[in-house]
Amino acid sequence: MSDYQYLDEPRPDIYRMIPPDGKLIGTIGCGRAATELQLVRDGREVHGVDVSAEAIEVAKSRLTSARVIKPADETPFEANSLDGLILADVLEHMPMAWLRLRRLMEAVKPGGWVVISVPNNRYVEALVPLLFKGDWPEYPLGIFDETHIQVMTHKRLDRWCRDAGLTKEAEFDLYDFSFFKRNVYRAINLTTFRLFRSFLTFEVQARYRKT
């Protein structure tokens, strides 16, 4: 039986963040590359890396190239070699991820982009067990993923990116997967002019440019 936990399904929330510019794209923690496959179909050159050999075996058939790296590899791509970089739910797994981000951005050319998605630990439903139960559970997936070692918020990610020489170009809202909750939280967010976005969105998602 496979011990690789992540699902083999495209993520439209990540795909929507990718800008039209950039021919050569890197993706760290690509998994089986179900999302990146669409970029290849769009005519992009996509190179993926992941720590899972099992996932990479699938990704090899979908990407321009895919290879296994060690968790401690801080520079999986050559300096100034990429037009864009995808970091979809990987930073929260990295020790001292703010420093790793600076090293990873060395691979992106000036003017290039990076799209980042991380869990929002300020999400209202993540705060319930912490504030009312005094606990933080461990689950195989999701915000309470037992392998997460970073506490992520909108402001923390923005600070990391500024320190890495990045400027935010666009931000994206991802709500709960439940149809009812998704629409309730979206309505509250819009009617309050996004003042409570940091409590209502399931993930922190944004696109940045290297200055």
Side-chain angles (χ1 to χ4, degrees):
M1 179 179 293
S2 171
D3 61 357
Y4 186 74
Q5 296 292 328
Y6 291 90
L7 302 178
D8 189 17
E9 297 178 358
R11 289 186 56 182
D13 61 298
I14 299 298
Y15 183 76
R16 66 176 176 168
M17 300 168 67
I18 309 297
D21 63 295
K23 172 72 174 179
L24 201 157
I25 299 171
T27 173
I28 296 175
C30 63
R32 298 187 180 96
T35 302
E36 291 88 343
L37 173 60
Q38 183 58 54
L39 295 174
V40 174
R41 289 171 173 168
D42 292 341
R44 312 275 191 117
E45 182 178 334
V46 185
H47 302 273
V49 296
D50 200 288
V51 298
S52 169
E54 178 186 341
I56 287 296
E57 280 304 307
V58 178
K60 285 179 179 179
S61 66
R62 296 175 171 178
L63 302 182
T64 309
S65 75
R67 58 188 172 87
V68 178
I69 60 170
K70 296 180 180 180
D73 190 348
E74 296 184 351
T75 55
F77 299 106
E78 293 184 5
N80 296 314
S81 64
L82 302 176
D83 300 316
L85 180 65
I86 301 171
L87 299 173
D89 296 286
V90 293
L91 289 178
E92 66 272 19
H93 298 275
M94 296 180 176
M96 301 187 72
W98 55 95
L99 299 180
R100 293 284 293 276
L101 179 61
R102 296 180 194 177
R103 295 299 310 277
L104 293 173
M105 288 311 304
E106 294 175 5
V108 180
K109 301 174 184 177
W113 50 264
V114 56
V115 296
I116 302 177
S117 177
V118 293
N120 177 20
N121 291 116
R122 212 179 183 199
Y123 179 52
V124 62
E125 294 191 29
L127 293 178
V128 168
L130 179 64
L131 296 180
F132 294 99
K133 298 181 180 179
D135 193 13
W136 189 267
E138 297 83 30
Y139 295 150
L141 298 171
I143 289 179
F144 299 111
D145 187 322
E146 59 194 0
T147 64
H148 291 176
I149 60 174
Q150 299 294 343
V151 175
M152 299 307 305
T153 66
H154 290 82
K155 287 187 176 180
R156 193 181 195 200
L157 180 61
D158 282 345
R159 175 166 52 82
W160 288 4
C161 290
R162 286 195 302 270
D163 292 344
L166 301 172
T167 301
K168 183 157 64 175
E169 182 174 78
E171 56 187 9
F172 303 83
D173 296 331
L174 179 65
Y175 300 98
D176 195 280
F177 295 107
S178 160
F179 177 83
F180 176 76
K181 292 179 182 178
R182 178 170 67 247
N183 286 284
V184 168
Y185 292 160
R186 179 187 287 114
I188 294 173
N189 196 24
L190 294 177
T191 56
T192 58
F193 303 99
R194 303 179 78 232
L195 292 175
F196 301 103
R197 172 176 57 100
S198 64
F199 297 103
L200 298 171
T201 49
F202 185 77
E203 295 224 343
V204 179
Q205 296 187 328
R207 183 173 67 241
Y208 301 84
R209 290 278 174 177
K210 185 175 180 179
T211 54

